[in-house]
Amino acid sequence: MDMQVPKKKLGLKERYTLMTRDLAWDTTYQPKEKVYPYADYEGIKIHDWDKWEDPFRLTMDAYWKYQAEKERKLYAIIDAYSQSNGHLGVTDARYLNAIKIFLTAVTPLEYMAHRGFAHVGRAFPGAGARVACQMQAIDEMRHAQTQIHSLSNYNKYYNGFHDAPHMFDRVWYLSVPKSFFDDAITAGPFEFIVSIGFSFEYVLTNLLFVPFVSGAAYNGDMGTMTFGFSAQSDEARHMTLGLECIKFILEQDPANLPIVQRWIDKWCWRGVRLLSIVAMMMDYMLPKRVMSWKEAWEIYFEENGGALFKDLARYGIKMPACAEQIRQEKEHLSHQVWSAFYNYSGATDFHTWMPTEEEMQWLSQKYPDTFDKYYRPRFEFWREQQEKGNRFYNKTLPMLCQTCQIPMLFTEPGDPTKICYRERSYKGNKYHFCSDHCRHIFDNEPEKYVQAWLPVHQIYQGNCFPEGTDPTAPGFDPLAAVLEYYRLNVGHDNGEFEGSEDHRNFEAWRGMAKRND
């Protein structure tokens, strides 16, 4: 009788190799260049794909096990929050406007990231990179779904949560996040990895899913807090994978360094411009604040990012050229963006307001060198006019930056009293920019950015009216037609929070809940 030899238990590395690298195969009846046409598209040279290392060595069976456990906990909390009328426990109805922005501006980006990683996973010849991209694509789809499910509870009671995908493709201020991801997913696969792994995951989601989601918890929104912290464990893995990919590219060939440096410079600036709306949400839209935008930026980029660039310095990577301007702008960013949205809130799905005196005192403490000098006088004047019944709405359309698509609201570096304008002529047309960095990005790829779908241009061309609209009809109101195209029903709210339907509903329902208790 033969002796049975116990099977040797595979180590983690061997098991990971069998379930990832050994699932790959070489091409036979088609050349590899035709199967992976984008591998050489950007000039990146990869000599050995087997050098790619996944620091987590996660296999698909382990992935589903971990994610299923997170799903059970997440949906248990969401269901309990919904059944106990948790929406009445948030600090103030003003807070709801911040998560309207989250649903319409951030959640669609998660879905676009899913599409991008699915494409990149198909484009990379290396099996290890393909597996990592596959798991991140599933992560991003899960994030979009859990965010929609968590916030759907608010759609039962408040306006502005009703049609996020439709608005994402049409509403003027949502062209900013949309253009960011349109830029990323129309790049080559290596640039996409840098743009998302560095800019979206490291720069943007760090500042969104930690300080802002902490603010959600502080304001009693357990639904947003739960999906945010559930996603953050994935984001930690995404950041690590993105940075490992950057290091892998740099280690493969010295010629890759200038290409990667240009991408890091570009996407750091594009990420900061996208984050301007998060700065506004943190400083102005949380009734109970955790920290200021300036403090969050100093912790999560200047300190953590500084350590990252010290690590990348051994590969030759330098701090992005825009870092000094960003350091100056952190004192002004949230105030300037809030001022712009206060002007244009009649064409958004959320409300704006002037800070109370107590809130202005908080802003003065957090921004001692700038708020009282440059912004308090403006806000006090607007509040005075609002109390007299002269609440200001800007009904003209602003000039937009050709690159980031944000209205020209940012000021000159070193002079916060002067709006920054830059321009460039290309093939007989003139293009406008909000900064030297946006103009520099345009100069590197003008053929790409001249195709930008700018909402203001489209409105003036008559492309943002409902089908069948007759602009020549007597009494035609172009703003009302554009809002109908956006599916925004202004009604009697007129963009103002005080007295809005959301405000009245929240106070009435909370009053009923207190009486019932």
Side-chain angles (χ1 to χ4, degrees):
M1 188 175 190
D2 294 336
M3 181 186 298
Q4 290 188 350
V5 179
K7 294 181 180 179
K8 181 183 177 183
K9 187 175 181 180
L10 293 174
L12 180 64
K13 188 172 183 179
E14 291 87 352
R15 186 171 181 276
Y16 172 74
T17 301
L18 285 171
M19 299 188 73
T20 55
R21 309 300 173 90
D22 279 10
L23 297 179
W25 61 87
D26 293 326
T27 57
T28 53
Y29 60 91
Q30 289 287 354
K32 207 163 190 177
E33 295 73 25
K34 289 190 69 176
V35 178
Y36 302 107
Y38 296 109
D40 302 319
Y41 173 67
E42 300 152 293
I44 293 292
K45 298 180 174 65
I46 303 296
H47 302 293
D48 185 1
W49 276 100
D50 287 336
K51 290 291 176 65
W52 166 278
E53 285 292 338
D54 180 351
F56 294 94
R57 293 201 173 93
L58 194 62
T59 55
M60 191 52 70
D61 58 336
Y63 174 84
W64 289 123
K65 176 185 175 183
Y66 299 143
Q67 298 299 76
E69 183 61 30
K70 287 164 60 176
E71 294 283 279
R72 281 193 291 271
K73 295 175 181 177
L74 170 69
Y75 282 97
I77 296 173
I78 292 173
D79 289 345
Y81 185 74
S82 176
Q83 291 169 19
S84 62
N85 286 324
H87 69 101
L88 298 178
V90 299
T91 49
D92 190 286
R94 288 185 304 168
Y95 165 77
L96 299 169
N97 295 283
I99 55 174
K100 290 178 189 179
I101 296 175
F102 195 109
L103 180 66
T104 54
V106 178
T107 300
L109 299 186
E110 305 276 17
Y111 180 75
M112 292 183 77
H114 145 75
R115 291 177 52 208
F117 276 101
H119 169 69
V120 171
R122 169 61 183 84
F124 279 155
R130 290 204 300 269
V131 170
C133 287
Q134 175 193 9
M135 291 186 190
Q136 185 151 345
I138 301 169
D139 278 344
E140 305 293 2
M141 175 65 89
R142 173 181 174 269
H143 294 175
Q145 291 172 340
T146 56
Q147 289 166 21
I148 292 168
H149 292 165
S150 298
L151 299 180
S152 65
N153 180 53
Y154 294 109
N155 189 42
K156 302 174 187 176
Y157 309 104
Y158 306 106
N159 296 320
F161 293 92
H162 58 290
D163 214 345
H166 177 90
M167 289 192 283
F168 184 71
D169 286 336
R170 293 164 177 81
V171 176
W172 62 276
Y173 66 93
L174 297 177
S175 73
V176 176
K178 182 176 173 61
S179 74
F180 177 96
F181 249 94
D182 281 346
D183 193 350
I185 63 176
T186 54
F190 292 102
E191 184 179 351
F192 178 85
I193 284 287
V194 173
S195 68
I196 306 307
F198 168 68
S199 181
F200 187 66
E201 303 292 358
Y202 193 89
V203 178
L204 194 146
T205 57
N206 246 354
L207 283 147
L208 184 64
F209 281 106
V210 182
F212 177 75
V213 169
S214 297
Y218 200 45
N219 282 274
D221 182 4
M222 305 314 292
T224 299
M225 179 276 291
T226 306
F227 80 63
F229 290 154
S230 176
Q232 185 57 23
S233 58
D234 296 333
E235 303 298 352
R237 188 172 72 253
H238 298 172
M239 284 186 284
T240 304
L241 288 171
L243 297 177
E244 286 300 317
C245 184
I246 291 172
K247 293 176 182 178
F248 166 74
I249 296 170
L250 294 170
E251 289 168 352
Q252 285 292 302
D253 197 286
N256 295 338
L257 174 60
I259 302 173
V260 173
Q261 180 71 64
R262 178 167 58 85
W263 288 341
I264 287 178
D265 288 353
K266 168 187 173 179
W267 287 103
C268 182
W269 183 251
R270 292 229 60 186
V272 168
R273 278 295 185 248
L274 180 57
L275 276 169
S276 61
I277 201 167
V278 180
M280 175 190 81
M281 291 159 67
M282 288 183 62
D283 278 351
Y284 286 89
M285 303 187 82
L286 298 180
K288 293 178 68 176
R289 294 161 174 81
V290 175
M291 65 175 68
S292 68
W293 163 256
K294 176 184 172 183
E295 290 169 323
W297 182 258
E298 288 171 348
I299 293 170
Y300 293 100
F301 186 83
E302 290 183 355
E303 293 181 19
N304 296 355
L308 167 67
F309 281 101
K310 285 180 182 177
D311 182 32
L312 292 177
R314 58 196 171 103
Y315 298 99
I317 293 293
K318 300 176 182 177
M319 180 68 77
C322 57
E324 176 55 27
Q325 183 169 339
I326 298 169
R327 187 190 65 78
Q328 296 178 32
E329 282 193 352
K330 70 185 178 186
E331 294 277 358
H332 305 275
L333 192 62
S334 64
H335 318 307
Q336 293 177 0
V337 176
W338 183 249
S339 299
F341 274 108
Y342 184 78
N343 274 246
Y344 290 104
S345 64
T348 68
D349 70 327
F350 60 90
H351 305 290
T352 55
W353 52 86
M354 278 294 97
T356 64
E357 187 55 40
E358 181 184 353
E359 289 167 340
M360 287 205 201
Q361 288 295 337
W362 183 86
L363 290 165
S364 297
Q365 293 170 9
K366 297 299 181 180
Y367 298 92
D369 299 327
T370 54
F371 182 76
D372 285 344
K373 183 177 181 180
Y374 298 109
Y375 304 103
R376 179 187 280 272
R378 178 192 306 178
F379 290 170
E380 288 178 342
F381 174 75
W382 281 346
R383 187 168 63 186
E384 179 185 325
Q385 292 302 305
Q386 182 176 318
E387 290 170 354
K388 292 179 180 178
N390 299 324
R391 205 281 197 198
F392 179 68
Y393 292 101
N394 194 332
K395 294 189 176 181
T396 61
L397 301 183
M399 182 185 292
L400 303 181
C401 175
Q402 189 73 24
T403 301
C404 69
Q405 303 198 16
I406 298 177
M408 299 295 199
L409 60 94
F410 303 107
T411 52
E412 287 282 358
D415 185 359
T417 65
K418 184 179 180 182
I419 298 294
C420 181
Y421 289 97
R422 300 290 185 270
E423 61 182 45
R424 177 73 77 218
S425 293
Y426 181 74
K427 291 188 175 180
N429 288 318
K430 186 176 288 186
Y431 299 91
H432 304 278
F433 308 94
C434 69
S435 62
D436 292 314
H437 303 291
C438 278
R439 183 172 65 179
H440 181 66
I441 292 169
F442 176 90
D443 288 342
N444 283 327
E445 301 173 274
E447 293 288 352
K448 185 175 194 177
Y449 294 102
V450 296
Q451 302 176 59
W453 194 94
L454 299 179
V456 169
H457 293 188
Q458 298 301 318
I459 291 170
Y460 276 130
Q461 291 172 30
N463 297 327
C464 295
F465 300 144
E467 190 174 348
T469 298
D470 180 9
T472 64
F476 174 71
D477 184 346
L479 177 59
V482 170
L483 295 181
E484 184 181 351
Y485 173 76
Y486 290 166
R487 295 184 188 168
L488 296 181
N489 301 317
V490 177
H492 300 293
D493 291 359
N494 203 29
E496 179 53 46
F497 169 71
E498 295 293 339
S500 69
E501 189 175 351
D502 284 349
H503 185 200
R504 294 194 306 271
N505 287 345
F506 182 77
E507 294 300 327
W509 288 327
R510 188 148 69 171
M512 278 194 301
K514 288 179 179 177
R515 288 193 296 274
N516 291 337
D517 290 342

